[in-house]
Amino acid sequence: MKSIFKLSIIIISIIIVIGIIIGIYLYFKPQADISKKRADVVLKASELYNEYSSNENQANTKYLNKIVEVSGPVAELTNNPDSSLTIILRDSSVDFGLNCNILKNNTKGLNKLQKGVIISIRGVCSGYNSIEVALNNCALVK
Amino acid sequence: MKKLIFIMLMICGSLSSSAQSKYLTKTGFIGLYSHTTMEDISANNNQVASILDIATGEIIFTVLMKSFKFDRALMEEHFNENYVESDKFPKASFKGKITNLSNVDFKKDGKYNVDIDGDMTIHGVTKPFKTNGTIEVQNEKIIGKSKFLLNPHDYNIEIPNLVKSKFADNFEITVDMTYSSLKK
């Protein structure tokens, strides 16, 4: 009887410790590394922008919170106050496109990108801010 | 191009002034910060869209809630799912006016103090809102900055009792926008 009692205490303690470790891991987990994840959908930057600008609600049902991989020409590069980088993907013939935000840990070498170069970016679609489609946690697709 | 100008005018809600007086940013910065005994809560949004009409002083902000980035994934999840409910209320917005527009000389580089008055909509709740800030005219760009406090309870944002002690009553909001002329 005594040894079963001891064994159950040990097992319960192990479960509690594992639970605490999982809890701490989740609590401190940083933003996901999107470059390591598979895209839910692949399309051209102009296609994503056109879908959102013509019907925002319909585009949200298709793309909101999904990992999208988009390709298009670099139109603008902006260094933000929090050291993140904004890359706007947009054809030169239009005024607005995709606003892709790259967190400060992933920006190495990216602010040297030339305007007009066509790149592929993977990120989470955050929706439409009424002017451009917003992508976050972006990473360059190599 | 005509369609886009029309959309801009609709966003501004005024068909009287021409596009010449309108300034735009799509990479506006809004940071939120709250200090608690346990930890500091801070998030940054770099995708704020805003239009400023220098002829009328009208100013509009559209803020995508999902664009607020936290250092920790779990905190961002709680913010979106439990506090601001961003699936239900994806955008916050402010529609208002610079009330002392004559204080600003948009033709002369310099820094000017401004008072802003309008309506703030967060989490589906609209409340009148007044604050002040600065407008800096610099080389054809207009930089708008402001810092103020927001109480989440004013906008029906429920902080669960379990974590209530973690939040100070107010969030410190920092706004930093660089506007360019709409006509290019």
Side-chain angles (χ1 to χ4, degrees):
Chain A
M1 276 275 284
K2 250 197 195 160
S3 59
I4 291 179
F5 184 60
K6 240 192 192 170
L7 188 63
S8 13
I9 298 250
I10 292 175
I11 291 178
I12 289 175
S13 311
I14 291 176
I15 291 174
I16 290 177
V17 169
I18 290 177
I20 291 176
I21 291 175
I22 292 176
I24 292 177
Y25 166 73
L26 282 177
Y27 188 76
F28 285 105
K29 191 170 66 142
Q31 297 284 350
D33 185 355
I34 298 291
S35 62
K36 302 216 164 68
K37 297 202 168 184
R38 257 214 322 259
D40 294 314
V41 62
V42 180
L43 74 177
K44 288 221 281 240
S46 52
E47 287 168 349
L48 185 60
Y49 174 75
N50 288 334
E51 285 200 48
Y52 262 102
S53 61
S54 48
N55 192 330
E56 184 181 342
N57 288 332
Q58 195 170 357
N60 272 335
T61 56
K62 276 170 95 169
Y63 303 111
L64 187 61
N65 296 330
K66 304 271 195 320
I67 298 176
V68 298
E69 189 171 306
V70 287
S71 56
V74 175
E76 287 170 51
L77 281 173
T78 308
N79 287 307
N80 298 312
D82 66 343
S83 304
S84 65
L85 182 69
T86 296
I87 299 180
I88 310 271
L89 291 183
R90 178 185 82 219
D91 293 336
S92 51
S93 53
V94 295
D95 284 320
F96 304 114
L98 309 186
N99 182 321
C100 308
N101 183 277
I102 298 163
L103 296 172
K104 65 174 182 243
N105 297 332
N106 299 330
T107 57
K108 232 191 285 187
L110 288 180
N111 44 15
K112 302 218 170 59
L113 279 174
Q114 300 276 42
K115 289 193 189 172
V117 169
I118 295 185
I119 60 171
S120 260
I121 280 187
R122 197 180 296 152
V124 178
C125 181
S126 304
Y128 187 57
N129 69 1
S130 304
I131 294 180
E132 289 186 318
V133 182
L135 265 57
N136 276 290
N137 294 21
C138 294
L140 203 67
V141 177
K142 301 235 158 70
Chain B
M1 189 55 203
K2 271 209 184 126
K3 184 184 175 199
L4 287 158
I5 293 185
F6 181 68
I7 292 172
M8 289 303 137
L9 292 170
M10 278 186 67
I11 290 172
C12 264
S14 91
L15 293 166
S16 47
S17 43
S18 66
Q20 301 226 313
S21 59
K22 292 194 170 60
Y23 283 71
L24 166 76
T25 179
K26 315 154 297 183
T27 53
F29 172 85
I30 291 184
L32 56 85
Y33 175 78
S34 178
H35 173 72
T36 71
T37 47
M38 272 195 66
E39 60 194 331
D40 286 343
I41 292 155
S42 97
N44 298 319
N45 188 329
N46 291 291
Q47 296 168 323
V48 179
S50 178
I51 295 184
L52 166 64
D53 188 334
I54 63 172
T56 61
E58 283 172 337
I59 191 163
I60 293 185
F61 289 77
T62 302
V63 185
L64 258 182
M65 298 313 279
K66 286 187 199 279
S67 293
F68 279 103
K69 291 279 113 197
F70 294 74
D71 278 339
R72 283 194 273 108
L74 197 66
M75 203 183 263
E76 187 166 320
E77 211 176 288
H78 284 160
F79 175 80
N80 280 292
E81 285 174 21
N82 306 118
Y83 304 153
V84 300
E85 298 182 279
S86 57
D87 281 329
K88 263 203 239 160
F89 308 104
K91 298 179 201 177
S93 63
F94 176 79
K95 276 195 176 81
K97 227 174 151 131
I98 296 173
T99 51
N100 55 349
L101 194 62
S102 50
N103 207 31
V104 187
D105 185 351
F106 287 103
K107 296 198 190 75
K108 188 161 156 213
D109 279 8
K111 204 167 187 176
Y112 309 90
N113 291 324
V114 290
D115 296 322
I116 299 158
D117 191 351
D119 289 319
M120 177 87 76
T121 304
I122 304 176
H123 194 233
V125 175
T126 302
K127 287 221 145 81
F129 182 80
K130 262 196 184 123
T131 188
N132 50 36
T134 58
I135 292 258
E136 200 174 325
V137 180
Q138 207 185 73
N139 265 347
E140 305 200 335
K141 292 223 189 286
I142 297 176
I143 298 169
K145 290 191 185 174
S146 182
K147 226 175 186 153
F148 51 83
L149 296 175
L150 271 184
N151 189 330
H153 300 293
D154 287 347
Y155 299 92
N156 291 348
I157 292 173
E158 299 293 325
I159 315 274
N161 276 322
L162 200 66
V163 294
K164 216 171 202 160
S165 57
K166 289 172 67 176
F167 285 79
D169 272 334
N170 285 308
F171 276 85
E172 189 182 285
I173 309 288
T174 305
V175 178
D176 189 345
M177 324 283 285
T178 302
Y179 297 87
S180 308
S181 175
L182 198 57
K183 59 167 170 67
K184 261 190 232 150

